[in-house]
Amino acid sequence: MAAPAEDRRADAQRQKALTERLRPIKKELAQVEQRMAALAQERERLEAELLAAPEPAKLAELGKRLKVVEAENGTVEARWLELSEAIEQAQQA
C-alpha cells in the first residue's frame, strides 16, 4: 500500500500534467472568446447601421458584411464548443 505522502505526490503530478495539457487549449479558448465578443460588437454595429436606413448601395454593403460576420461567428462558436468539450473530457479522464 502506498504511503499518504506518495499518494499526494502522485496526485500533484497528475494535476500538473493535466494543467500542462490544458494550457494551450485554455489559451486558444480565451482567444476564441475574444473573437466572439468582437464579432458580436461588429454585428451590433452593422445592425444599428442597417436600421438607420442608408441608401441602397450602403444597405447592400452592410448586408453582405453582416452575412460574413454571422458566418465567421458560426465557425468560431463551433470551435469554442470543441475546445470546451476537450477541456471537459480531459478533466473527467
Side-chain angles (χ1 to χ4, degrees):
M1 184 175 220
E6 290 174 9
D7 288 344
R8 285 192 303 274
R9 196 171 11 259
D11 287 344
Q13 288 174 344
R14 280 192 293 276
Q15 184 61 39
K16 183 178 179 183
L18 176 62
T19 299
E20 290 299 317
R21 263 194 339 263
L22 291 179
R23 182 173 287 129
I25 298 170
K26 288 183 175 184
K27 182 179 179 181
E28 184 180 353
L29 184 65
Q31 292 169 341
V32 166
E33 288 173 342
Q34 288 176 344
R35 185 64 186 146
M36 286 171 59
L39 288 168
Q41 286 180 338
E42 185 172 2
R43 184 181 62 241
E44 288 174 12
R45 182 187 59 78
L46 291 168
E47 289 172 346
E49 286 187 49
L50 284 167
L51 290 175
E55 67 272 1
K58 183 72 172 175
L59 188 64
E61 177 188 324
L62 291 171
K64 287 178 187 176
R65 180 63 192 149
L66 185 58
K67 284 185 179 183
V68 169
V69 167
E70 289 174 345
E72 183 179 352
N73 192 60
T75 301
V76 171
E77 284 179 348
R79 184 63 181 150
W80 180 89
L81 186 58
E82 290 171 4
L83 293 168
S84 296
E85 289 173 353
I87 290 170
E88 185 176 322
Q89 288 174 357
Q91 290 174 334
Q92 292 176 354

